[in-house]
């Protein structure tokens, strides 16, 4: 009887679809090793996401702080353009710009109109004559 | 069978490249495990489900696999459990007899598409289906897979003596059933 059973054993009555083992192997691998690789990639991103967000926020804060400091910090004299101009240059150019009459007006009028001390009348007449001022006018004034 | 050279290489590879090791394992064992499961559950679609569940379960536990164990018996144990789970589920929900291959095939949309047995083969399959589940598994592993009792005792966690007795009783029953026809 066992011999009869062994004759039957040789023929497998079960069938499978064409290329079944090739396809099922791919299906198994994609749902095991493939799925893990994907989840590892995703997992790495999701694990790092909070740290990436913090790093990005810190970077933005640093950029904003740096920009604000650059824009609003007062320019120190040592580095400003005025430091490159000497006091003498400034005074000369400033004086050149001002009308000489303005200086005369601002000057103390007492100095001009008051009696000139230390000079004799004769010295003044000599000076005025050298300046080609008419004698009559000199005598009228003095 | 125990640990073949290829299995030893796969086990070694598990320590360094688990993905590649698992790929080799699937390529080597998917066909063997499919036929073991298919002979127990009969229908192709059930065997397909159980086979995929077997490897998913193996993948989940592969990192816990002890290198001194046998991949072959470990995988057969998982596959057998998956097949038994499916059979028990089907028994609870079956509206027809599951002791007759004709009923099982008729109860499935594609059942007869993937079965091409002659009268003698149908008789043998029906005789095997009459056996209690444990005896059927022992008979299939010994008769079709030609597994040693030593390996079978690891797969089924049963003593070799008990397995020998179980196989002996299974053969006697099948011979009797075939002789009656």
């Amino acid at each position: 009887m066992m011999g009869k059973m062994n004759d039957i054993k040789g023929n497998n009555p079960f069938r499978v679809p064409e290329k079944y083992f090739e396809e099922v192997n791919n299906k198994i691998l994609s749902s095991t090793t493939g799925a893990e690789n994907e989840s590892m990639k995703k997992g790495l991103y999701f694990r790092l996401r909070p740290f990436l967000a913090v790093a990005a926020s810190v970077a933005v804060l640093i950029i904003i702080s740096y920009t604000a400091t650059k824009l609003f910090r007062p320019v120190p004299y040592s580095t400003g353009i005025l430091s490159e101009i000497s006091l003498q240059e400034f005074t000369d150019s400033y004086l050149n710009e001002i009308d000489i009459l303005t200086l005369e007006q601002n000057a103390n009028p007492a100095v001009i109109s008051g009696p000139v001390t230390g000079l004799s009348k004769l010295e003044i007449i000599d000076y005025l004559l050298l300046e080609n001022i008419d004698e009559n006018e000199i005598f009228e004034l003095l | 069978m125990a640990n073949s050279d290829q299995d030893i290489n796969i086990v070694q590879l598990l320590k360094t490249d688990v993905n590649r090791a698992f790929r080799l394992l699937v390529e080597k064992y998917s066909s063997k495990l499919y036929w073991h499961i298919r002979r127990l559950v009969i229908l192709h679609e059930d065997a397909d489900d159980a086979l995929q569940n077997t490897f998913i379960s193996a993948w989940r536990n592969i990192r816990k696999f002890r290198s001194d164990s046998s991949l072959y018996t470990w995988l057969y144990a998982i596959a057998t459990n998956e097949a038994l789970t499916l059979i028990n589920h089907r028994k609870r929900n079956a509206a027809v007899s599951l002791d007759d291959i004709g009923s099982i095939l008729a109860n499935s949309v594609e059942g007869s598409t993937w079965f091409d047995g002659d009268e003698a083969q149908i008789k043998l399959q029906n005789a095997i289906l009459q056996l209690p589940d444990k005896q059927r598994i022992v008979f299939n592993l010994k008769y079709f897979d030609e597994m040693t009792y030593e390996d079978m005792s690891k797969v089924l966690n049963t003593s070799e003596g008990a397995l020998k007795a179980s196989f002996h009783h299974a053969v006697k029953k099948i011979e009797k059933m075939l002789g009656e026809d």
Side-chain angles (χ1 to χ4, degrees), chain A residues 13-14, chain B residues 42 101 115 121-129 144:
Chain A
F14 299 109
Chain B
I42 306 298
I101 197 157
F115 186 85
Q121 287 161 340
I122 291 172
K123 274 185 189 175
L124 176 62
Q125 290 302 323
N126 278 336
I128 295 169
L129 281 172
F144 293 109

Side-chain angles (χ1 to χ4, degrees), chain B residues 39-43 46 83-108 125-131 133 136:
Chain B
R39 279 188 282 267
L40 292 172
V41 301
I42 306 298
L43 296 173
D46 287 349
L84 279 174
T85 302
L86 204 143
I87 289 167
N88 290 333
H89 177 76
R90 206 167 56 191
K91 276 180 183 170
R92 282 196 298 272
N93 300 295
V96 295
S97 168
L98 298 178
D99 297 340
D100 176 69
I101 197 157
S103 301
I104 296 170
L105 297 177
N107 199 37
S108 161
Q125 290 302 323
N126 278 336
I128 295 169
L129 281 172
Q130 301 292 317
L131 299 173
D133 288 341
R136 191 151 67 97

Side-chain angles (χ1 to χ4, degrees), chain B residues 73-88:
Chain B
T73 55
W74 181 65
L75 287 170
Y76 264 81
I78 298 171
T80 305
N81 281 335
E82 289 294 337
L84 279 174
T85 302
L86 204 143
I87 289 167
N88 290 333

